Amino acid sequence: MARALAVTGRDQSPAVLDVPVPNPGPGQIRVAVEAASVNGIDAAAGAGLLWDSVPHHFPVVLGRDFAGTVERVGPGVATIRPRDRVAGVITGMSLARGTLTDTIVFDARSVAPLPEGISEEQAAAAGLAAVTARALVDALALTSDDTVLVAGATGGVGAFAVQFARAAGATVYATARPGEATEFVRGLGANETVDYTNGLAAPPGLSAIVQAAGDGRELAALLPPGGRLSSATGASAATVGRSDIKVTSVVASFTPESLGTILDALASGALRAPITHTYAMSEAPQALADFGQHKLGKLVVDTRR
Ligand SMILES: NC(=O)c1ccc[n+]([C@@H]2O[C@H](COP(=O)([O-])OP(=O)(O)OC[C@H]3O[C@@H](n4cnc5c(N)ncnc54)[C@H](OP(=O)(O)O)[C@@H]3O)[C@@H](O)[C@H]2O)c1
């Protein structure tokens, strides 16, 4: 059995419970998970907001990203061995065996090795958020001529997007409430901050927007003709009401190679995992509750505690 943050049926609240763990089948590995992080889909599923829109296979274990150590390998797995340190991400919209657990069975071809010098917590914090942020920033093809607004810069996806946009050479405006949140995004490298709680004005020279939060229509209205907007929340040119800008809706997908590039950047110090709190497994329901309460960056669960 594994300890997991799980939901056992419709209208049940998430709780830390024991769930069965199968032996790894052909092409699979069993991983002793050491860290997993909380993402928006976990908070939404835990609050019962996805009952009617996403298939649930009970018991649903929440969590989309993890890092840990391989315990056993299934038949036919040649490239990964017990004691290897690995990280993985679940994409796609079905809810079944997630990563907020101390043990997971995973497709061996879908994990990336953990480089030396990077912790399981860092890798798990990057996971889905960093993969999504990478895709959002790549969709904008930013250069040093761009000024980009990252809407939702204080969240997990946004905190990575700020760093990727700066690394691309763009001038970065980051949304943040006054105070601690403003300091947080400045610490990630934002050139300027924007208090979104009082309405938004277009920063000078704005050419692109990463939408990790906020109203698509309101954000798109800030862009000049020819501007670009990439959206983590499903915006399209039609939904934002602008046919004269380029809108890209990003759905996270990843390969071990793309996750590996992110892990290497963490290991080299070029990228920072914006972890603001680590919870014990017994506190995982609290991590879920805290997610929607103006937390900053990434919340991580140490699944072994
Ligand atoms: N497309 C995909 O494949 C994919 C993958 C992962 C995530 N997502 C989506 O991406 C979004 C961001 O995910 P996340 O994990 O980063 O969530 P998150 O950690 O909750 O971040 C959202 C951040 O946005 C801030 N915010 C709220 N309203 C805002 C507004 N009007 N303007 C600017 N900032 C605002 C929040 O701050 P306050 O709490 O202080 O208001 C929070 O810090 C979510 O909608 C998530 O579902 C999509």
Side-chain angles (χ1 to χ4, degrees):
M1 299 291 266
R3 224 156 57 113
L5 182 65
V7 182
T8 52
R10 196 183 163 107
D11 299 326
Q12 298 295 308
S13 296
V16 179
L17 326 154
D18 287 337
V19 297
V21 194
N23 282 322
Q28 292 182 322
I29 54 176
R30 195 171 76 196
V31 179
V33 177
E34 280 160 49
S37 80
V38 182
N39 288 285
I41 187 169
D42 308 314
L49 302 178
L50 305 178
W51 296 129
D52 298 320
S53 54
V54 176
H56 287 58
H57 304 285
F58 295 110
V60 166
V61 175
L62 301 176
R64 309 305 272 188
D65 32 37
F66 72 93
T69 305
V70 177
E71 279 183 347
R72 275 180 77 167
V73 304
V77 175
T79 49
I80 294 178
R81 282 179 293 219
R83 290 196 291 282
D84 283 355
R85 297 165 73 230
V86 295
V89 179
I90 299 172
T91 53
M93 282 305 276
S94 123
L95 287 162
R97 295 305 168 97
T99 61
L100 282 159
T101 176
D102 60 16
T103 313
I104 194 168
V105 170
F106 216 73
D107 181 351
R109 287 166 310 177
S110 299
V111 293
L114 241 61
E116 284 294 316
I118 171 179
S119 71
E120 280 74 8
E121 284 183 23
Q122 287 174 291
L128 180 65
V131 165
T132 307
R134 181 77 264 171
L136 287 164
V137 170
D138 285 352
L140 298 174
L142 296 174
T143 71
S144 54
D145 292 336
D146 282 304
T147 294
V148 61
L149 171 67
V150 179
T154 38
V157 173
F160 282 106
V162 167
Q163 297 180 74
F164 290 137
R166 271 307 300 275
T171 300
V172 178
Y173 282 71
T175 58
R177 293 168 187 269
E180 193 188 354
T182 294
E183 294 310 310
F184 174 78
V185 295
R186 280 211 181 274
L188 296 167
N191 300 89
E192 301 290 342
T193 61
V194 180
D195 176 7
Y196 67 88
T197 58
N198 281 329
L200 290 172
L206 183 71
S207 55
I209 294 177
V210 171
Q211 184 203 10
D215 179 70
R217 201 170 264 270
E218 188 188 341
L219 289 168
L222 303 176
L223 282 168
R228 296 103 76 202
L229 183 148
S230 62
S231 172
T233 62
S236 66
T239 62
V240 304
R242 289 283 301 267
S243 56
D244 59 343
I245 63 170
K246 182 183 175 203
V247 181
T248 309
S249 173
V250 163
V251 178
S253 68
F254 92 110
T255 62
E257 292 73 27
S258 65
L259 181 59
T261 305
I262 286 165
L263 297 177
D264 287 343
L266 287 170
S268 73
L271 186 67
R272 217 178 86 210
I275 300 168
T276 52
H277 199 85
T278 301
Y279 299 79
M281 189 66 192
S282 55
E283 301 167 324
Q286 189 59 47
L288 214 57
D290 290 348
F291 186 85
Q293 300 299 319
H294 304 313
K295 58 87 191 143
L296 295 172
K298 290 296 301 183
L299 304 181
V300 172
V301 176
D302 176 346
T303 51
R304 294 274 137 184
R305 278 205 283 141

